[in-house]
Amino acid sequence: MSRLGRVRAEVGADWRSFARRRTAVFFTFFFPVILIVIFGALVSTDPGGGGLFAEPPAFYVPGYLAVVVLFTPLSRLGSEVARHREGNRFEKLATTPLSRTEWLLAQTVVNAAIIGLASLLILALVVALTGAEIVFSPLLVPYVLVGVVCFCGIGAMLGSYSDSQDGAVAASNAIGLPLLFLSETFVALEQLPDWFTPLVNLSPLTYFARGVRAATMPDAQVPAVGGVDPMVANLAVLTLLAAVAFALGARSIPRTD
């Protein structure tokens, strides 16, 4: 079987596994919907009024998308790798032609499909519930895809180095929650102390948020990087980080248990 055939077969198996887990399907799409309803509709924004929700509704679009782009790969890949380790499945995988990189690629493809559907739902709800005026830029697609690749790689590392499936889920939450709110998603950089700026720039999610904001909100004050358009520059940085994270994630997956 060719490499493409092996990846395609693994993608089909993983998609069927996800579809059979109704609880996972429900919460993958339900959680961001609840977040939008709470933050976007019930807690209405007050531009210019000060406080956390002082920006226009379109400002928070990267944050809503980040919920699924960040948490879904971290939790699914972390728990999946840990579950395979506990069941000695990587020992069986080592006896097949499927490599660790191909296995992770198949998992990433499935996550990209799931998160792509969830992102479409989120954008529709944001516009309908908050009245956000956003531009549907074609760059949204590569931003979501590259973000998924990046956090799938990080999720694979969490699952590889955690001592259990519960530990992997706990680690994904411990890393994901701070990143979600401290990567220029829901909280503007001006609202954070000056000493925190270098830490914000270390987060891959920061470049996702900046790029998506520049692509969907033309009036946003997103600085250029080295004189390069922020939509392109942030995507380039995110792509580089995604390549490193994916390579490290594939390398961290054990050959045997």
Side-chain angles (χ1 to χ4, degrees):
M1 182 182 290
S2 66
R3 175 175 297 178
L4 179 60
R6 294 194 297 269
V7 173
R8 183 184 301 166
E10 184 64 25
V11 166
D14 188 53
W15 178 264
R16 290 189 294 272
S17 175
F18 170 73
R20 286 194 297 265
R21 297 163 65 187
R22 297 180 180 179
T23 302
V25 174
F26 177 77
F27 281 102
T28 296
F29 295 97
F30 180 73
F31 179 67
V33 171
I34 289 297
L35 192 70
I36 294 171
V37 170
I38 294 175
F39 288 130
L42 300 183
V43 184
S44 59
T45 59
D46 182 20
L52 179 60
F53 293 94
E55 303 292 340
F59 179 87
Y60 302 101
V61 169
Y64 296 133
L65 291 177
V67 172
V68 290
V69 171
L70 172 66
F71 276 104
T72 302
L74 288 185
S75 61
R76 290 198 75 243
L77 258 297
S79 60
E80 190 75 5
V81 171
R83 186 161 60 91
H84 274 57
R85 289 175 56 209
E86 290 175 356
N88 296 322
R89 297 186 183 184
F90 286 119
E91 185 172 345
K92 299 175 183 177
L93 182 66
T95 65
T96 71
L98 189 71
S99 67
R100 294 178 295 174
T101 301
E102 292 169 350
W103 183 87
L104 182 56
L105 176 59
Q107 299 290 325
T108 303
V109 170
V110 173
N111 276 273
I114 295 168
I115 294 166
L117 293 174
S119 297
L120 290 175
L121 176 62
I122 288 171
L123 289 173
L125 286 174
V126 167
V127 173
L129 296 179
T130 71
E133 297 179 359
I134 62 177
V135 176
F136 290 93
S137 170
L139 281 177
L140 279 175
V141 176
Y143 265 109
V144 170
L145 292 178
V146 175
V148 171
V149 172
C150 180
F151 293 110
C152 278
I154 296 174
M157 285 186 277
L158 292 179
S160 297
Y161 300 126
S162 298
D163 57 0
S164 66
Q165 190 173 348
D166 290 339
V169 174
S172 67
N173 290 331
I175 291 175
L177 281 174
L179 288 182
L180 180 62
F181 290 98
L182 301 176
S183 300
E184 290 194 53
T185 48
F186 293 104
V187 182
L189 190 62
E190 295 77 16
Q191 295 176 289
L192 298 173
D194 293 338
W195 62 266
F196 202 82
T197 300
L199 298 178
V200 171
N201 292 329
L202 292 176
S203 169
L205 194 64
T206 297
Y207 302 98
F208 172 85
R210 289 173 179 171
V212 170
R213 186 167 292 122
T216 58
M217 190 180 177
D219 296 335
Q221 301 298 317
V222 181
V225 180
V228 181
D229 188 312
M231 289 186 289
V232 177
N234 285 290
L235 181 59
V237 174
L238 184 62
T239 301
L240 177 61
L241 295 175
V244 173
F246 186 89
L248 292 176
R251 184 179 179 82
S252 69
I253 295 174
R255 295 181 184 274
T256 57
D257 301 282

